[in-house]
Each structure stands twice: as C-alpha cells, then as structure tokens.
Amino acid sequence: MTAIPHIQVFPDPEAVAREAAKRFAKSARETVDVRGTFSVALAGGSTPKAMFDLLAAEPLRSRVPWEQFEVFFGDERCVPPEHPESNFKMAHDTLLSKVPIPASSIHRMRGEIEPNDAAREYGLLLKDRFGDGGLDLVLLGMGDDGHTLSLFPGTAAVGEREHRVVANYAEHSTTGKSWRITMTAPFVNRAREVLVCVTGAKKAARVAEVLQGPRDPLRLPIQLIEPTEGKLIWLLDTAAADV
C-alpha cells in the first residue's frame, strides 16, 4: 500500500522553510528517542537552504540530537565538493559545518570521480547500512519540469527498479547537459518519511498536474515517489498551490 500525500499550504516560501525545519527537528528527536540514530537524505535548492539556515540557528539548533545523525544526499552534480554547484557544498556551508554531526557520519556522493563508479560506491554504502530497509527522512524538491532528485523526464534513471543509486545523464537539466548521481525512486520509497517542499508560482501548473492529473511518471518523475509504508508530506506556498 502506498502513502496518500498529506498536503499543507503556507503563505510564502519562508513559512514553508520554517515548517520544514520544525518537522525535521521533530522527526529527528522522536526517531532518536526510539531508535537511537536518525538517518536523513539532504536535498539541494533554495527551500532546503533556507531550512538549513534555520536549523543551524537557535532555537532549533539546540533542540536537535545532531550527534546521533547519519547524513546522506539524495543526489549530486558531478562536480568536486568545493564547486559552487555542489549540493554537498551548499549543505556543508549552511548546516553541516555549523552543527556537531560527527564527520564520519556525513556521507557525500563523490561527484568528482567517474559517475558510474560514484553511483556504485554510494549504492553499496546504502546496501551495507540499510539492507532492504530505508532512511528515516528524505528531503525532496520539485523542478519546473516535474523532476525530483536527478530523475529527469525521459531519462534512464526514471525507469530504474533494481539499484539504489545510479548515474544519470540529463540533456535538459538546471545546469544544461550534465551527469548526475541520484538515489532511485524504489530506494526513496523505503523511507519512513518523505518531505517534499515546493514554492513559487512558476511551479503551480506542474504541482496541479502532478497531484491531480493522470499518472505519467516518465514525463513527471516525482509521481514515482510513493513511500510503501512511510509518510509522504507536501509543503507548498500559496503561489505553488495556486490558492
């Protein structure tokens, strides 16, 4: 049985980031209380960046059990970790360098090596850590074209059913023609909770199509995100929700 999306709408992107940060902190505390550790896959983009800024500052910073974290990344551009387009760099600069997560518990995708080698390496890491299970929390956004992670419309990764992580070449991405490393939908769908944050009027038509239109995941890859046992939460601002 797949999760039914729980959709919440907030006045503006700042309110979406605040709600996402609160949910992140609450999920971490509750999971550590029960299981002793908390695993999360971080995302790139403007809303996660705003959320990371909030989590790195008080009052939330001191309310999160950072020492018990394991940090992963949902996808990465094939660039070195210090590159301005690196998802790791953004997360490091805004959050990871400002909170006491052990360095050994931060697992970046090595975008600087051959893409298929990087994907294989990360997939084996996830297999070793989770077996047939999944993460506690996965953070996602959605592009104007309906992609999430680096699962772009019409690309090979959209149809992937076997591997946890793959290299994916995109002809039309936010950085043009480029290689990416990405978790796959089947692995993300093992998570206990998936949090999707989408803001801005330019995404409103696509949000409506994804949530209300017919199923067409080859064209709208985010429709593949359907946790099998976990929760699926969409946080939208009024512009993205067109209300």
Side-chain angles (χ1 to χ4, degrees):
M1 182 177 179
T2 56
I4 297 173
H6 176 68
I7 302 166
Q8 289 186 274
V9 180
F10 297 88
D12 50 44
E14 292 76 19
V16 170
R18 286 195 298 272
E19 177 65 18
K22 287 192 297 183
R23 283 183 172 274
F24 182 108
K26 181 174 183 289
S27 181
R29 290 196 304 271
E30 291 178 350
T31 302
V32 168
D33 284 346
V34 173
R35 301 156 68 95
T37 61
F38 178 69
S39 59
V40 59
L42 303 183
S46 57
T47 301
K49 182 178 184 299
M51 180 183 68
F52 296 162
D53 286 336
L54 292 169
L55 287 165
E58 297 299 344
L60 289 178
R61 185 184 186 279
S62 60
R63 297 178 183 174
V64 176
W66 301 109
E67 294 86 352
Q68 278 70 52
F69 268 53
E70 271 198 284
V71 175
F72 299 87
F73 287 82
D75 72 321
E76 184 58 277
R77 297 176 173 92
C78 289
V79 295
E82 67 276 5
H83 193 282
E85 292 175 354
S86 165
N87 286 340
F88 169 79
K89 176 176 170 55
M90 187 276 282
H92 175 269
D93 292 351
T94 56
L95 177 64
L96 302 178
S97 63
K98 299 179 179 180
V99 295
I101 300 173
S104 61
S105 297
I106 298 172
H107 309 288
R108 72 175 183 88
M109 292 175 166
R110 293 206 293 157
E112 70 274 23
I113 68 174
E114 199 279 326
N116 286 294
D117 290 344
R120 189 177 304 110
E121 176 182 86
Y122 213 74
L124 289 172
L125 169 68
L126 296 177
K127 181 179 181 180
D128 181 65
R129 170 62 180 81
F130 297 105
D132 292 331
L135 291 140
D136 293 313
L137 176 65
V138 177
L139 303 176
L140 297 178
M142 186 194 77
D144 298 356
D145 58 358
H147 86 267
T148 193
L149 300 165
S150 284
L151 305 174
F152 290 93
T155 59
V158 175
E160 179 60 49
R161 297 293 178 269
E162 178 181 354
H163 298 291
R164 294 165 178 82
V165 180
V166 295
N168 197 31
Y169 183 74
E171 289 277 348
H172 306 285
S173 74
T174 51
T175 51
K177 296 181 180 182
S178 61
W179 278 97
R180 306 288 186 94
I181 308 158
T182 185
M183 288 182 179
T184 61
F187 179 72
V188 171
N189 286 338
R190 299 179 191 176
R192 294 177 61 247
E193 182 175 351
V194 177
L195 185 61
V196 183
C197 299
V198 184
T199 62
K202 65 181 181 178
K203 298 183 181 180
R206 196 69 73 198
V207 167
E209 195 174 13
V210 167
L211 295 176
Q212 302 169 22
R215 183 173 171 79
D216 187 5
L218 186 63
R219 188 173 63 86
L220 302 169
I222 198 168
Q223 289 183 329
L224 292 169
I225 305 303
E226 300 175 317
T228 50
E229 297 180 7
K231 297 184 289 184
L232 175 59
I233 298 160
W234 282 68
L235 305 183
L236 309 173
D237 68 352
T238 53
D242 196 23
V243 297

